[in-house]
């Protein structure tokens, strides 16, 4: 067996030795874990993981490669990847590159051969913390010194958002939607197109005045990375547009809508990251199995007096998963309704957004 050439050093001082793949570089990120058994391509290409090093709990990663035609964004921004076993010989006739080749292309380091089970337990017990991937020979004292000096970024949304407006149109459209890009994925845009919406994707720092000039039927606030409190420009837009135009937000967009109406958010101990989180729809009483990836949540107690009604609750820890304000013509959910065909009495949340715009147009 080859000698270990890489290691990761946790903020608590623990070291894990393994084999490097992807980009050969030293990097410090926030350490998180994801419990999905499939979907590593979607994780790599999710802007929510910007500056985060993801520890995959499923032991085998890379076995079906990366398929370019299914990319959700053009350039991945994940901080790094930690896996138990990496397969560099994919079995998939559609794959265009290996996971390692994509990570190397975009300067993203990764490590295999480490005890991902133990790392996950550390995160669950101690909470999310900083981590460094470095050469196996780096003294642990030197690594910890660098880790302590590293500060988590507050400009992640500005780095993943579009810098210019762009459009995605569909034949015989019924509605015009402005989507505020905090780190939007293409599947969101496709879902809106399929529902008969022309979509204008705009930068995160657009003003409410500029949006109103576009005369949209609805406004969508996308998912994205980081602390929602850092995205003041979008919070202010929601404050100005509430009650004026129908709005729908997911994940970071959900948190932003909640903050704009006076609720509070907090950082979770280790977040929710996986594709099987049970959420109860309080309107229908049904349980939905959802995909999630977030570090922050809305404080349930802070909803009182905001005009927001709780609509969805996480079954595992009772965290807020959805809110709505009929008076302000808006609603939001913490999970990802675009990832699966979640149905509510025959309709999904994108249909609910359509219904809201249709009602406004009457």
């Amino acid at each position: 067996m080859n000698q270990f050439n890489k290691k990761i050093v946790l903020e608590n001082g623990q070291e894990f030795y393994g084999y490097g793949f992807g980009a050969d570089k030293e990097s410090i990120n926030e350490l998180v874990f994801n419990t999905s058994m499939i979907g590593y391509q979607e994780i790599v290409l999710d802007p929510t993981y910007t500056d985060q090093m993801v520890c995959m709990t499923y032991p085998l990663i890379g076995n079906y490669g990366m398929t370019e035609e299914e990319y959700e964004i053009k350039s991945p921004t994940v901080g790094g990847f930690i896996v138990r076993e990496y397969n560099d010989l994919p079995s998939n006739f559609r794959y265009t590159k290996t996971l390692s080749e994509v990570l190397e292309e975009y300067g993203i380091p990764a490590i295999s051969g480490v005890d991902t089970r133990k790392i996950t337990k550390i995160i669950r017990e101690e909470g999310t913390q900083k981590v460094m991937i470095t050469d196996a020979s780096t003294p642990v004292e030197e690594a910890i010194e660098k880790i302590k000096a590293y500060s988590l970024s507050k400009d992640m949304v500005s780095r993943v958002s579009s810098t210019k407006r762009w459009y995605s149109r569909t034949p015989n459209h019924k509605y015009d939607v402005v989507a505020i890009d905090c780190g939007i994925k293409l599947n969101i845009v496709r879902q809106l197109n399929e529902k008969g919406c022309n979509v204008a994707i705009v930068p995160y720092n657009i003003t409410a005045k500029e949006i109103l000039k576009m005369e949209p039927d609805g406004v969508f606030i996308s998912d994205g990375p980081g602390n929602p409190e850092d995205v003041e420009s979008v919070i202010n837009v929601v404050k100005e547009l509430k009650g004026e135009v129908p709005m729908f937000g997911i994940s970071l967009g959900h948190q932003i809508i909640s903050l704009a109406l006076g609720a509070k958010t907090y950082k979770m101990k280790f977040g929710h990251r996986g594709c099987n989180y049970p959420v109860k729809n309080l309107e229908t009483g049904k349980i939905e199995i959802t995909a999630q990836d977030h570090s922050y949540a809305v404080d349930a107690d802070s909803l009182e007096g905001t005009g927001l009604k709780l609509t969805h609750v996480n079954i595992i820890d009772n965290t807020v998963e959805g809110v709505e304000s009929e008076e302000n013509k808006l609603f939001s959910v913490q999970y990802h309704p675009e990832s699966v065909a979640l149905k509510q009495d025959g309709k999904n949340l994108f249909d609910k957004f359509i219904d809201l715009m249709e009602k406004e147009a009457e």
Side-chain angles (χ1 to χ4, degrees), residues 243-300:
E244 296 292 323
V245 59
M247 286 187 280
F248 173 28
I250 67 165
S251 203
L252 182 69
H254 158 74
Q255 298 157 13
I256 287 171
I257 282 177
S258 300
L259 287 170
L261 270 73
K264 296 180 180 178
T265 58
Y266 63 94
K267 189 166 187 179
M268 305 170 76
K269 185 176 180 180
F270 49 81
H272 292 161
R273 293 176 185 85
C275 58
N276 61 348
Y277 281 90
V279 170
K280 184 174 183 178
N281 183 328
L282 300 181
E283 297 175 340
T284 65
K286 295 180 179 179
I287 306 299
E288 301 164 357
I289 304 303
T290 69
Q292 304 195 14
D293 52 28
H294 59 101
S295 297
Y296 293 82
V298 174
D299 183 347

Side-chain angles (χ1 to χ4, degrees), residues 61-97:
I61 300 295
N63 51 310
Y64 53 84
M66 300 282 282
T67 306
E68 193 166 356
E69 67 183 51
E70 294 182 355
Y71 279 19
E72 289 288 338
I73 58 172
K74 293 180 180 178
S75 303
T77 54
V78 63
F81 236 51
I82 301 170
V83 306
R84 175 60 185 168
E85 180 181 348
Y86 171 63
N87 185 333
D88 204 41
L89 298 171
S91 177
N92 176 7
F93 73 95
R94 295 178 63 244
Y95 93 92
T96 51
K97 292 179 181 177

Side-chain angles (χ1 to χ4, degrees), residues 98 110 122 157 199 226 286:
T98 66
I122 290 171
V157 167
V199 185
K286 295 180 179 179

Side-chain angles (χ1 to χ4, degrees), residues 102-281:
V102 171
L103 296 178
E104 183 178 7
E105 180 180 357
Y106 291 99
I108 300 166
I111 188 171
S112 67
V114 299
D115 189 345
T116 53
R117 183 183 177 90
K118 185 174 181 179
I119 294 169
T120 301
K121 285 185 175 180
I122 290 171
I123 301 171
R124 285 185 60 89
E125 292 170 5
E126 300 181 16
T128 300
Q129 57 188 279
K130 291 181 281 187
V131 64
M132 180 181 192
I133 185 169
T134 186
D135 191 85
S137 63
T138 302
V140 65
E141 297 80 10
E142 179 185 324
I144 292 175
E145 187 177 335
K146 289 181 179 180
I147 290 171
K148 287 182 177 179
Y150 176 81
S151 297
L152 298 176
S153 174
K154 293 187 176 184
D155 65 346
M156 287 181 270
V157 167
S158 66
R159 285 156 47 202
V160 300
S161 177
S162 304
T163 56
K164 298 289 183 182
R165 183 184 310 175
W166 61 279
Y167 295 88
S168 180
R169 299 181 176 89
T170 188
N172 304 313
H173 85 286
K174 295 180 180 179
Y175 302 102
D176 293 294
V177 171
V178 169
I180 300 177
D181 182 7
C182 299
I184 198 166
K185 291 176 284 188
L186 293 179
N187 200 25
I188 291 284
V189 180
R190 286 192 291 267
Q191 290 269 2
L192 290 168
N193 285 159
E194 288 173 7
K195 299 296 180 183
C197 300
N198 278 349
V199 185
I201 299 88
V202 298
Y204 80 101
N205 56 358
I206 192 170
T207 65
K209 186 177 180 180
E210 289 173 311
I211 290 176
L212 289 174
K213 279 184 179 179
M214 300 170 70
E215 300 183 349
D217 297 298
V219 173
F220 176 84
I221 302 102
S222 85
D223 188 14
N227 186 340
E229 294 181 2
D230 293 335
V231 200
E232 291 185 15
S233 62
V234 187
I235 295 172
N236 290 333
V237 164
V238 175
K239 286 180 179 179
E240 293 183 50
L241 294 183
K242 65 179 182 180
E244 296 292 323
V245 59
M247 286 187 280
F248 173 28
I250 67 165
S251 203
L252 182 69
H254 158 74
Q255 298 157 13
I256 287 171
I257 282 177
S258 300
L259 287 170
L261 270 73
K264 296 180 180 178
T265 58
Y266 63 94
K267 189 166 187 179
M268 305 170 76
K269 185 176 180 180
F270 49 81
H272 292 161
R273 293 176 185 85
C275 58
N276 61 348
Y277 281 90
V279 170
K280 184 174 183 178
N281 183 328

Side-chain angles (χ1 to χ4, degrees), residues 326-346:
E326 292 184 8
E327 178 186 357
N328 291 297
K329 306 172 187 176
L330 54 80
F331 69 99
S332 61
V333 291
Q334 181 62 74
Y335 55 89
H336 294 283
E338 83 283 2
S339 60
V340 288
L342 294 171
K343 297 293 182 181
Q344 302 176 13
D345 296 333

